[in-house]
Amino acid sequence: DASAGAPGAAQEASAREAAPGAQEAPAAEAAPRTEADPAGEADPAAQSASFRGRFGRWRRSPRTARGVGIGTTVLAGALLFLALLVPNRLERLGPESFLRLPAEGVLLAGLLLVLPPRARRVTAIVSGALLGLLTLLKFLDMGFYSVLARPFDLILDWVLFDDAAEFVRESFGRTGEVLALAGVVAGALAVLVLMTLAMVRVSEVMAGHRQVAARTTLILGTAWMTCVTLGVQITGVPLAAKANAELVGNRVDQVRAGLRDGRVFARQAAVDAFATTPPDRLLTGLRGKDVLFTFIESYGRVAIDDPAMAPQMDAALQQGTDSLKAAGFDARSAWLKSPVTGAGSWLAHSTFLSGLWIKNQQRYRSLTTSDRATLGSYFRKTGAWRTVGIVPGVRRAWPEGRFFALDRVYDSERLGYRGPYFSWTPVPDQFSLEAFQRLEYGKKNRDPIMAEIILASSHNPWSPVARMIDWDDLGDGSVFNRIKKEGTDPKEVWQDSARVRTEYRKAVTYSVRSVTEWLRRYGTDDTVLVLLGDHQPVPTVTAGSTSKDVPVTVVARDPKVLDRIAGWNWSPGLKPAENAPTWGMNTFRDRFMTAYGPRGR
């Protein structure tokens, strides 16, 4: 019978009958209570047991479950640690950045330890999500510093994502744009979800080992204060970090400044020294002249000052100066400080033409929807000039052309170009200038022209780059198909910063040569050229320089034109001297109009 097969069973049954309450004891002994916090929460071992219960395949492998639990906790802690210490600039992303004690982590650990269970879980979820958002902000900063040499603006920069998407589409096609967008969205969601889960996991482990966690937090807090007091550093980096608090504080100030900026700009835009000047007293010193305001994309001071580029640029500028002098032209050069660097050409163009500091997209929109007069407006107001825009970088509707007072705008579709794009650049500069000659400048019996010419061949990524050919061979641009095939591959170029800088220098040299050869070929006694860069190139080229200076040059054959700006003390030739005057780009409009107005005689 049963008692024979299981010795002692009868005795156990009798014992249970004699003491009914004793039947609970074996269950308690089979699952002894582990250490729990005062609120009665189970420790990680109990959680692992529950985890195994939900996933039956691990029932028979407690070591695997325990290993997974420990591994998950370690990964969660490492993720939070990296998020707290990762910098917001790529050049600061080194081992020393992660050999620090984050004050925010110590304070958050202390807070989680003192909160009751429900409040602790809510706090863990919220703080994890916020840390995820802060991490995404750091990633955005990395990108903005890499391209624009400044951090992301939480108020004013969202509109730039549309321009970024367009750049990707033009460089890599619609498929590349979709894949890039999908990758960005998936990556952002992954950061938010993983950071939140990691914070919840770590908070639960801390609660399960409250005494150890409290002692560790106290030790780390004491160590942080000691390092601050003694100024302890590792390779020049403070061991005690509070970078996240400083980053948040800076962004709060940035947001406040962004919200105020609209009112500040409105006050500035209301002041215009020439608003009431009669048309017959505007630009009297240039009557009968063709005035060409020509921008070279990304032509910054680095192209002239950097030792790796200076010899070749010096040779190109000297050759241009000599060839123009042989044709009877003279030049004066200096520096302008652009409101942007790396990108944002339209902000620089509008700053130069409007006389206002257009440093962000909010100001640009406010400007282009206002009645502020630009250089083009004043030339048109006189009735003595036809105003023309050569804008090969424009590939869609450009209503701003009306604001800049251009009677006729020639975009990439209206220049007659049938050749290939050179990466982002729709039309090579030499062709754009020849098209200007064919469509406007070379016409007989025309009125004087004021032209705004935007040359785009030196636009990032500078690969492949067009090269100069015989002007008579340009045709419809089909000849550039062969030239593009002979060029470099941007994917290969951008693997080496030295090659990027070399290709950048070649692109700028090509743009400068296009202008100087065009001027020598077609310029007359009545031609006045104002040549300038719009902004410095990306930090990959500037190598960390914070300068926003760009060259600016006035070229004319008529000596009276340059005599009017003799008081500016600009350098002779196409190359500005190192100590040549440096003006804010927004000051040029009024100084130019004063020099060539009645009082400038």
Side-chain angles (χ1 to χ4, degrees), residues 126-309:
V126 173
S127 58
L130 291 176
L131 184 57
L133 291 173
L134 184 62
T135 303
L136 292 176
L137 178 60
K138 291 180 181 180
F139 289 158
L140 285 172
D141 278 356
M142 289 181 188
F144 271 69
Y145 273 116
S146 297
V147 177
L148 302 177
R150 64 171 179 82
F152 176 72
D153 192 311
L154 288 166
I155 297 296
L156 306 173
D157 281 343
W158 296 103
V159 67
L160 297 182
F161 288 111
D162 181 55
D163 298 296
E166 181 182 358
F167 178 79
V168 173
R169 182 173 62 254
E170 296 295 344
S171 300
F172 304 103
R174 175 70 67 177
T175 302
E177 179 191 15
V178 172
L179 291 176
L181 179 60
V184 169
V185 172
L189 291 175
V191 168
L192 292 174
V193 172
L194 290 176
M195 209 66 68
T196 302
L197 293 176
M199 187 67 75
V200 171
R201 175 70 179 182
V202 170
S203 68
E204 290 177 348
V205 172
M206 290 173 57
H209 299 80
R210 183 175 299 276
Q211 293 183 358
V212 175
R215 286 196 298 267
T216 303
T217 302
L218 180 61
I219 292 171
L220 292 177
T222 303
W224 189 91
M225 295 180 63
T226 302
C227 291
V228 169
T229 303
L230 300 179
V232 179
Q233 296 184 351
I234 298 179
T235 64
V237 178
L239 183 60
K242 53 179 180 177
N244 296 289
E246 293 174 349
L247 179 63
V248 171
N250 290 338
R251 289 315 158 87
V252 170
D253 293 340
Q254 182 191 68
V255 168
R256 290 174 178 170
L259 295 174
R260 292 194 304 266
D261 188 63
R263 297 190 297 272
V264 172
F265 180 70
R267 291 195 298 269
Q268 295 171 350
V271 179
D272 188 341
F274 296 92
T276 59
T277 303
D280 61 350
R281 295 184 62 79
L282 290 170
L283 301 162
T284 54
L286 292 172
R287 297 299 173 100
K289 304 292 184 184
D290 296 307
V291 185
L292 317 178
F293 296 103
T294 305
F295 297 85
I296 294 181
E297 169 68 34
S298 299
Y299 181 26
R301 185 165 189 156
V302 66
I304 294 174
D305 285 356
D306 188 273
M309 293 182 267

